[in-house]
Amino acid sequence: MQQNQVKKYGNANRYRILRIIGKRNYEIVCAAVDMHTGEKVAIKKINNVFEHISDALRMLREVKLLR
């Protein structure tokens, strides 16, 4: 992978961001609409998730609970 290339997971063009719900030091949560299904979703972007092991473990627990 080239240095300036960013790996994307999923199709970012599938969602239309409606508004920012909240911001914290290491994350941002947005309300969005899935353009294929019309379903309203929340998207959480986490910056530098592996910078601190305690933050990474907290995020892992949250993902497991949401599943």
Side-chain angles (χ1 to χ4, degrees):
M1 190 176 338
Q2 294 179 355
Q3 191 172 4
N4 61 351
Q5 188 178 14
V6 176
K7 185 173 182 180
K8 290 184 179 180
Y9 296 95
N11 182 359
N13 296 325
R14 181 176 178 161
Y15 301 98
R16 183 171 48 100
I17 304 297
L18 300 175
R19 69 181 193 282
I20 295 175
I21 296 173
K23 287 184 181 181
R24 292 189 178 172
N25 292 336
Y26 55 88
E27 68 186 25
I28 185 168
V29 180
C30 296
V33 174
D34 184 333
M35 300 301 284
H36 292 178
T37 65
E39 182 179 18
K40 289 184 179 180
V41 298
I43 299 173
K44 180 184 279 193
K45 180 181 180 198
I46 305 165
N47 295 319
N48 304 323
V49 69
F50 298 112
E51 189 171 312
H52 300 288
I53 190 72
S54 61
D55 290 340
L57 290 172
R58 185 175 32 235
M59 292 301 121
L60 178 61
R61 278 194 302 271
E62 183 176 337
V63 169
K64 286 181 179 180
L65 287 171
L66 291 171
R67 260 185 161 180

